[in-house]
């Protein structure tokens, strides 16, 4: 029947769906990666966190998409759902580390690039070539489940 609080016995108000676990993020355009993730599902909302690290292989100058989410995403149209930190290893030609927001589609998490002052044509998303070998992306967020 689920947990009830403050004497409320209505089934509709009972907490009847709570789960914690791990998941394995996938990532496109980053070469070979190692990854890990954890999640907490409360009712119809999943809170997730993860990390992907480029370990070898060629990157592609195309949008990184993180997939393998632990539950099916409810039919949402691109919702801002979290944040990320991309470790570029300090000052580089890419101006060092990047902190930005994520948004979730029905199957993937995208890393939205912050606007950089003086950039004539800023790229919209983090691309594979933004990540040198042994650098990582840490991210977290939430989404509604189907």
């Amino acid at each position: 029947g689920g947990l009830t609080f403050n004497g409320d016995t209505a089934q509709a108000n009972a907490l009847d769906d709570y789960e914690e676990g791990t998941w394995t993020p996938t990532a496109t355009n980053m070469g070979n990666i190692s990854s890990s993730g954890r999640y907490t599902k409360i009712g119809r909302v999943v809170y997730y966190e993860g990390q992907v690290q480029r370990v070898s292989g060629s990157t592609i100058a195309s949008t990184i998409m993180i997939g393998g989410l632990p539950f099916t995403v409810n039919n949402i149209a691109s919702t801002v759902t979290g944040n990320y930190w991309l470790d570029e290893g300090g000052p580089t030609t890419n101006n060092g580390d990047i902190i930005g927001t994520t948004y979730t589609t029905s199957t993937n998490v995208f890393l939205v690039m912050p606007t950089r002052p003086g950039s004539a044509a800023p790229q919209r998303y983090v691309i594979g070539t933004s990540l040198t070998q042994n650098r990582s992306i840490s991210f977290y967020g939430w989404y509604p489940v189907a």
Side-chain angles (χ1 to χ4, degrees):
L3 296 172
T4 58
F5 301 93
N6 296 325
D8 184 349
T9 59
Q11 181 61 34
N13 297 333
L15 175 61
D16 60 356
D17 189 4
Y18 180 89
E19 181 179 334
E20 293 181 3
T22 60
W23 65 290
T24 304
T26 61
T28 61
N29 305 320
M30 287 180 55
N32 301 314
I33 65 165
S34 67
S35 66
S36 63
R38 297 184 325 169
Y39 70 86
T40 301
K41 180 178 181 285
I42 303 172
R44 293 180 20 212
V45 178
V46 174
Y47 301 91
Y48 66 88
E49 61 186 77
Q51 182 178 45
V52 292
Q53 179 180 18
R54 178 173 174 245
V55 293
S56 66
S58 298
T59 58
I60 299 173
S62 190
T63 302
I64 292 173
M65 294 180 284
I66 297 172
L69 294 169
F71 293 91
T72 302
V73 179
N74 193 10
N75 190 17
I76 59 175
S78 304
T79 301
V80 173
T81 58
N83 295 294
Y84 72 92
W85 174 65
L86 189 152
D87 170 18
E88 287 191 317
T92 67
T93 57
N94 293 326
N95 296 324
D97 299 340
I98 299 172
I99 298 173
T101 59
T102 64
Y103 82 84
T104 304
T105 64
S106 60
T107 56
N108 293 297
V109 175
F110 291 82
L111 311 169
V112 181
M113 287 290 290
T115 302
R116 293 184 179 191
S119 181
Q123 60 194 56
R124 185 170 179 186
Y125 307 108
V126 176
I127 59 174
T129 53
S130 297
L131 207 61
T132 58
Q133 190 163 322
N134 296 320
R135 299 298 181 210
S136 61
I137 301 169
S138 299
F139 54 93
Y140 70 92
W142 66 272
Y143 62 90
V145 296

